[in-house]
C-alpha cells in the first residue's frame, strides 16, 4: 500500500479555479508567485513528502522519541528527513524576505503544510512550531532579536517551540507561575516548569528557540501580567556560532495516545537567560499571533491526516474482496466482490471525501484572507479580511479537526478488523488526529471564541459580512442543478444570521447561553461554509466540464466533484437542522442539574 | 483518581424498578434468583472488579502480552485476577446447572458483565469468550462433549476461544480454507490458519478450548459448507487430566490500537485433533449461537468502558480549577472555578450520561427477553421474545458501541491536554472501545442484519411488535412533564414504522436501498429505544420521588434521572430527524459515482 500521495491535482484545482490565486497574488503585488512557479513548488514538496517523510510515519510511531540524560532522540530517519526539509529551503517559504525568508503567500504555504502533515503529523509539528514562533518573533521582537534569530529559524538550523502551559494552567494562562527576573544587560532570568511543549527538545536542529510566557516581578497576577520571552537552548555568540548551554532542560517526555514520534516535553527553566519579546505584560497578545497561525495549521494538520486515511481506505475498498453486492455478483468471475460495491462502504468514503475536500478549500479560503490582510494596500479590504480571519480561525481549527476525526474513524472502519491493527496504518490517523481537537485551545474554547468574542462581542458584524458574501454568491449565475443547492444554502445562511441575532439578545440576559450554544453554533457555521465551498467547487468543475478541449483536469476528477457536492448537500448539510433545533430550544437542561449530581 | 466504581445503585434501580426482575424471575420459575440474592452478588462482583481487576487496567495496557516460543504471557496481575475470578465462581453464574453451572438469569449475568468490562475490557474478554463458547457448545455439542468440557469451562480452569476469521475471510466466512479431515475414532484433523483470535493463547487457564470453523472434504465451497469443531489446546485424558499437546499453536500476536492487554492471536492448526460440534455443514448457524451472545456482550463491554470514562470525567470536571464561569466567579475565594461551571463541559458529560444510562437499561431489556425466551413455558411469549432478541441484538451491538465511542471521546475531551496523555487513563477507553464497533461483525454488518434480515425479510413484523409495545407504554399513565416527551416519542415511533414499510417496498425494486439506509435506520431504532427507556426510567424515578419514606434511592439519584431524561429528549432524540431525512431522500448519491473515481 502506498504511504501517501500528495493531493497536488486538487490543490492545483483549488488554487487556479476556486481561490483564483494568480489574480489574487498579482493584485497584491506578489509577483514572485504565479501558477507555474506554484506547480513546480507543489511537485517538489510532494516528492519530499511522499518519498522521504511519509515512509517514516508508521515505524516512527512505534519507535517514538526517547529521553536520555536530558537529550531527546528522534525516531530513525527523522534527522535525515529534517535535513532534506531544510536543504529544500522549505522553512523559509513563507518567511520575511528582510531576514532571508522567501515571502511566498500563505495560500501556497498552506498547501505545503497539508502535504507535510499528511505525510507525518509528528514530524510536521517541528516545522509548524518553528513557523509559528517566527511569526510571533517577527511581529513583536526587536530588530536585534529578529536579525539574530529569524534567518537561522527560516533555514531550519534552529527550530522553535512555544512554552505556555503549566500543570495547573492550560486554558487559563492567567494562573501561570513561571517568573522572569531582570538581569544585568537587559536580559531576564526565567524560572519555572512548562508542560506539553511540542518538540521542546530534539536532535534534529542544532538549537531550539523557546517562546516562553512568564511573569515579571511586579506584574499583575492574572492574564494581564504575562510577558513573552525568547529563551534559546544554546546562547548564540556574537558571531552566530553556538555558545553556552542555557539553563533550559527537558526533564520528561509524555507517553501519548498519538503523534508518538513527536516529543512532548516537560521543560524546566532554571534561571534560563531570555529576552523580552514585545512589551512587558503584553505577552498573551504576542503569543496569540503564534496561536492564531497554529490554530489554522492545526486544522490543516487534521485534513492532511484525514486525506491520507481516505487514500488508503478507498484503495482498500477497491481491493478487498469479500461478500457480494446486494444487487447480485458484480464480479462473477471472482470468488467475491470488492467491498466498494456496498452502499454502506461508500457512505463512509463519501463522508470522508465530502469533508476532506471542503476542508482543503476552506483553509485555502482563510489563507487567501491572510494574504490579503498582509499585503493589500486597500484599508477597507484589509479590515474586511482581518474580520474574516478573526471569525473563521476558530472554525478552521475546531470544525476541520472534528470532521477529520470523524473521517479517520470512517477510514479505519472501512478496513474492518485490519483497521484496528497498527501495522495497517489506519488506526494511527485516528490517534494522531485526536490531538487536533485538543491542543492550541480545545475545540470547546474555539467555540466560545467564535460565538462569544467573534460574533456576540462584535455584534455579529463579521458574521454578517461573511454571510453576505455567501448570499451574493448563491444568488449569482449557477448551473441548474446547483440552483437547488444554492437555495438550500441561502436558507441555512439566513437562519444562521437570525440565530446570531437571537443569541446576541439572549446572551445579554444570561451569559451561559454562549456556552450552551457555542459548539452547535460553530458546527453550523462550519456546515454553511462547506456548503459555500462545495457550491464553488461544483460550479467551477461544471464549467470546466462544459469547456471543450480543456485538458488541465480529467473528466473523472471534475465529475467526482459533482458527485461529492451532491452527496454533501443531500446528506451532510441537513445536519444543520439539528444544530438549529438545539440552539433555538432555549432549554436549561445543561445548567439545571446541580454539579454534585454529576 | 479512583480506577472504577461499579454502578451498583443504577443496576439495582434498573433491575428492581425498570426491568422488575423479581416479578420476571419468579414468573419464569427462577426461584434461586431474587433481589436480595442479587444485591449480594452485585456487591461481591463489584469488590472483585473495583479492587482486583480495575487497578490492573492502565499498566496492563502499557505492558501488553508477549509471545515467547509459542506461549503467550499475560500482563502482571492478570493471572492472579483470573484466579480470583475463578475462585469466586463467576464463570459458572449463567451456566447450565446440568454441567455445574449456576443457572442464574441473563438479566443478572449481564450486570456482572458490565462491571467486568468496565474494570478492564482486555481482561474481560477472556471470560466473555469462554461464556460464548459454553453457550454454543451447550446448544449444539454432543452430551459427551458437553459433559467433558462444560464443567471445566464454567469453573474457568479451561477457557474458550472462537476461531472464525482467516486473512482473506472476515465478514464473508464462506471463503474460509481451513480443512477438517476425518480421522479414526470419529475425530477430525483440522488444518489451516486463523487470525484475530482473541485470547487464542494465554497463561491464565490450563487449557484452551477452540471452537473452529472448517470445511469437510466433500463440503460445498461456500457458507453452506462450514462445520464447527472443538479443538482443545491440550487433549484431555479420560480422567479429565490434561494429556497430549494438540497441534494448535499461536504463531503471532497482533499489535493493536487498544485492548492491548488481551492477546489477539494468529492460530495455526496443523492437523490438530478436533470434534464436530453440531451437524456437518451447519457450523455457521452453530457459531451464531455464540456470535449473538457475543454481540450483546460487545455492546455491554462498550457501555462498561464508557461508564468508567464518565466517572473520571465528572470527577475531573468537579476538580479541575481553570477560568471563571461565564456568569461570574462561582468560587470567588479560589483562584479559578471548577470547569463544571461551563455549559460546554456539562454538554459533554450529559451526552455521556444520557447514552450510558440508556444503554445499560437497553442491554437489561434485551437480557430480560433472553431470560423469557429461555425459561418461559408460554409458546407465544417465547416467540415474541425471540423476535425481540433477533431484532434488537444488532442494535445492541452497533448502537451501544457507536454511542460509547462518542461518549469516551467526550470523556477524553473533558480532560483537555491531559486526556491525550496515557497516564491519565482517558485515552485508553477511546482506544479500547473502538474495537467494539469492529469485531463480532462490523457495525455496518449489524445495520444490514437489522434492516435486511430482521426488518425487511421479516416483513416488518418484529419491528411492529416492538413499536406497539412502545406506543402502548407512551399512551399509558405518565407524569405531566413526561407526557410531552411521550408525544414526541410516539411520533418518532410512528415515523419509524412508516419508514420500515417504505423501505420494504423500495428494496424490492432496488436491493441497494438496504445498504443505503441501513446505518441511518439502525441509529433511528437506537434513538427510539433509548427514548422508550428514558421515559421508563424517568417515570419510575418520578414515582419514587413522590413516594414518602422510600429510602432505597437517594433524591439526588432520582433527580439526576429526571435531568438526564429531559436532556435526552431535548437534545439527543431530535437527531432522529436527520436520519429520517436521509432515509426518505431517495437519492442515488452513494452508488452514482463510479468505483474508479473513489
Amino acid at each position: 500500500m502506498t504511504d501517501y500521495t500528495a493531493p497536488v491535482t486538487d490543490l492545483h484545482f483549488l488554487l487556479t479555479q476556486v481561490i483564483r490565486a494568480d489574480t489574487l497574488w498579482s493584485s497584491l503585488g506578489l509577483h514572485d508567485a504565479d501558477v507555474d512557479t506554484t506547480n513546480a513548488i507543489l511537485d517538489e514538496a510532494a516528492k519530499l513528502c511522499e518519498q522521504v517523510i511519509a515512509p517514516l510515519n508508521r515505524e516512527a510511531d512505534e519507535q517514538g522519541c526517547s529521553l536520555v540524560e536530558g537529550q531527546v532522540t528522534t525516531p530513525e530517519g527523522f534527522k535525515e528527513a529534517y535535513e532534506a526539509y531544510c536543504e529544500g529551503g522549505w522553512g523559509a517559504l513563507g518567511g520575511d524576505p528582510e531576514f532571508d525568508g522567501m515571502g511566498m503567500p500563505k495560500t501556497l504555504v498552506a498547501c505545503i503544510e497539508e502535504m507535510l502533515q499528511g505525510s507525518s503529523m509528528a514530524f510536521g509539528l517541528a516545522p509548524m512550531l518553528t513557523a509559528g514562533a517566527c511569526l510571533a518573533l517577527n511581529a513583536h521582537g526587536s530588530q536585534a532579536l529578529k536579525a539574530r534569530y529569524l534567518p537561522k529559524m527560516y533555514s531550519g538550523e534552529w527550530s522553535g517551540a512555544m512554552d505556555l502551559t503549566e500543570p495547573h494552567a492550560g486554558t487559563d494562562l492567567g494562573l501561570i507561575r513561571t517568573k522572569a527576573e531582570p538581569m544585568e544587560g537587559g536580559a531576564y532570568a526565567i524560572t519555572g516548569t512548562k508542560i506539553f511543549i511540542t518538540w521542546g527538545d530534539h536532535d534534529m536542529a542544532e538549537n531550539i528557540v523557546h517562546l516562553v510566557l512568564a511573569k515579571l516581578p511586579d506584574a499583575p497576577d492574572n492574564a494581564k501580567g504575562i510577558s513573552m520571552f525568547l529563551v534559546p537552548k544554546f546562547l548564540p555568540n556574537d558571531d552566530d556560532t553556538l555558545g553556552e548551554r542555557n539553563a533550559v532542560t527537558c526533564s520528561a517526555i509524555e507517553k501519548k495516545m498519538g503523534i508518538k514520534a513527536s516529543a512532548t516535553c516537560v521543560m524546566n527553566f532554571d534561571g534560563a537567560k531570555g529576552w523580552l519579546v514585545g512589551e512587558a505584560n503584553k505577552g498573551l497578545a504576542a503569543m496569540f499571533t503564534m496561536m492564531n497561525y497554529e490554530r489554522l495549521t492545526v486544522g490543516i494538520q487534521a485534513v492532511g491526516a484525514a486525506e491520507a486515511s481516505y487514500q488508503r481506505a478507498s484503495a482498500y475498498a477497491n481491493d478487498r474482496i469479500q461478500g457480494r453486492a446486494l444487487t447480485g455478483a458484480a464480479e462473477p468471475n471472482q470468488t467475491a466482490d470488492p467491498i466498494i460495491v456496498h452502499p454502506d462502504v461508500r457512505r463512509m468514503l463519501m463522508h470522508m471525501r465530502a469533508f476532506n475536500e471542503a476542508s482543503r478549500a476552506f483553509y485555502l479560503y482563510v489563507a487567501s484572507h491572510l494574504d490579503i490582510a498582509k499585503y493589500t494596500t486597500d484599508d477597507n479590504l484589509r479590515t474586511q479580511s482581518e474580520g474574516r480571519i478573526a471569525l473563521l480561525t476558530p472554525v478552521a481549527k475546531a470544525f476541520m479537526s472534528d470532521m477529520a476525526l470523524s473521517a479517520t474513524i470512517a477510514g479505519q472502519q472501512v478496513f474492518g478488523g485490519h483497521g484496528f491493527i497498527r501495522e495497517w496504518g489506519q488506526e494511527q490517523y485516528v490517534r494522531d488526529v485526536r490531538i487536533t481537537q485538543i491542543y492550541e485551545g480545545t475545540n470547546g474554547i474555539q467555540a466560545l471564541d467564535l460565538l462569544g468574542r467573534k460574533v456576540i462581542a462584535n455584534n455579529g458584524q463579521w458574521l454578517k459580512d461573511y454571510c453576505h458574501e455567501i448570499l451574493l454568491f448563491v444568488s449569482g449565475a449557477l448551473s441548474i442543478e446547483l440552483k437547488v443547492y444554492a437555495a438550500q444554502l441561502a436558507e441555512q445562511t439566513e437562519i444562521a444570521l437570525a440565530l446570531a441575532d437571537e443569541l446576541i439578545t439572549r446572551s445579554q440576559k444570561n451569559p451561559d447561553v454562549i456556552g450552551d450554544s457555542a459548539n452547535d453554533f460553530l458546527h453550523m457555521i462550519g456546515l454553511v461554509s462547506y456548503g459555500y465551498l462545495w457550491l464553488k467547487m461544483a460550479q467551477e468543475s461544471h464549467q470546466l466540464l462544459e469547456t471543450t478541449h480543456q485538458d488541465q483536469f480529467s473528466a473523472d476528477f471534475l465529475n467526482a466533484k459533482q458527485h461529492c457536492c451532491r452527496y454533501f448537500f443531500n446528506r451532510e448539510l441537513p445536519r444543520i437542522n439539528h444544530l438549529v433545533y438545539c440552539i433555538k430550544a432555549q432549554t436549561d437542561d445543561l445548567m439545571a442539574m446541580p454539579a454534585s449530581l454529576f
Side-chain angles (χ1 to χ4, degrees), chain A residues 112-130:
Chain A
I112 315 294
E113 286 173 341
E114 188 202 320
M115 295 182 193
L116 198 59
Q117 304 294 345
S119 53
S120 171
M121 269 183 58
F123 179 85
L125 278 164
M128 171 176 161
L129 268 293
T130 306

Side-chain angles (χ1 to χ4, degrees), chain A residues 418-487:
Chain A
H418 297 105
F420 201 66
I421 307 299
R422 300 212 297 272
E423 184 188 349
W424 287 76
Q426 288 301 88
E427 60 84 44
Q428 187 184 341
Y429 296 115
V430 177
R431 287 188 290 104
D432 285 355
V433 165
R434 185 66 184 89
I435 191 60
T436 63
Q437 302 176 293
I438 298 173
Y439 63 15
E440 307 301 333
T442 63
N443 285 1
I445 291 296
Q446 304 301 324
L448 283 178
D449 180 44
L450 172 69
L451 182 55
R453 298 178 54 214
K454 307 299 178 56
V455 173
I456 291 174
N458 180 255
N459 205 25
Q461 195 52 53
W462 289 333
L463 181 68
K464 274 178 208 148
D465 292 347
Y466 179 49
C467 288
H468 289 162
E469 175 184 319
I470 296 174
L471 291 170
L472 195 68
F473 176 78
V474 297
S475 65
L478 289 170
S479 74
I480 291 171
E481 192 199 17
L482 294 183
K483 278 190 185 300
V484 182
Y485 301 140

Side-chain angles (χ1 to χ4, degrees), chain A residues 495-512:
Chain A
I495 290 172
L497 280 171
L499 273 186
D501 275 346
E502 191 185 312
L503 287 168
I504 289 168
T505 311
R506 282 171 51 205
S507 64
Q508 282 163 358
K509 283 189 210 158
N510 176 12
D512 270 342

Side-chain angles (χ1 to χ4, degrees), chain A residues 50-282:
Chain A
E50 293 170 359
Q51 296 169 15
V52 179
I53 302 171
L56 303 173
N57 191 46
R58 181 78 279 283
E59 181 53 29
D61 179 75
E62 293 296 328
Q63 284 182 23
C65 286
S66 54
L67 176 72
V68 180
E69 292 174 11
Q71 174 62 49
V72 171
T73 307
T74 51
E76 221 172 290
F78 266 37
K79 224 172 151 172
E80 293 73 17
Y82 187 80
E83 268 171 37
Y85 175 87
C86 295
E87 274 167 22
W90 297 106
L93 202 65
D96 186 342
E98 193 187 335
F99 304 103
D100 302 351
M102 288 168 64
M104 294 304 259
K106 182 70 186 177
T107 29
L108 175 60
V109 174
C111 299
I112 315 294
E113 286 173 341
E114 188 202 320
M115 295 182 193
L116 198 59
Q117 304 294 345
S119 53
S120 171
M121 269 183 58
F123 179 85
L125 278 164
M128 171 176 161
L129 268 293
T130 306
C134 287
L135 266 187
L137 184 58
N138 198 25
H140 303 283
S142 67
Q143 191 67 14
L145 277 182
K146 294 200 279 189
R148 165 145 288 174
Y149 287 92
L150 284 177
K152 291 284 191 185
M153 292 172 79
Y154 288 150
S155 73
E157 287 164 273
W158 300 356
S159 73
M162 182 172 170
D163 302 52
L164 286 72
T165 305
E166 300 181 9
H168 60 287
T171 298
D172 189 354
L173 288 168
L175 302 176
I176 64 164
R177 293 180 194 143
T178 298
K179 292 285 171 210
E181 302 272 351
M183 296 166 78
E184 277 178 37
Y188 293 82
I190 313 293
T191 304
T193 299
K194 296 287 181 179
I195 62 167
F196 298 162
I197 310 310
T198 302
W199 287 120
D201 193 65
H202 59 87
D203 55 5
M204 300 187 291
E206 60 176 34
N207 200 7
I208 299 168
V209 181
H210 296 268
L211 293 186
V212 186
L213 295 189
K215 286 179 179 166
L216 290 166
D218 53 352
D221 195 23
N222 55 42
K224 288 171 186 156
I226 298 172
S227 305
M228 185 162 86
F229 299 88
L230 182 156
V231 182
K233 180 176 176 181
F234 290 97
L235 297 164
N237 297 319
D238 286 342
D239 64 354
D240 284 351
T241 57
L242 293 185
E244 204 182 325
R245 182 75 165 78
N246 204 354
V248 45
T249 47
C250 173
S251 62
I253 53 177
E254 306 284 355
K255 291 183 173 180
K256 308 187 297 294
M257 178 190 203
I259 51 167
K260 290 185 184 180
S262 71
T264 302
C265 302
V266 177
M267 297 303 301
N268 291 332
F269 297 83
D270 189 15
K273 192 168 183 180
W275 289 269
L276 185 66
V277 177
E279 287 178 55
N281 298 337
K282 297 276 171 70

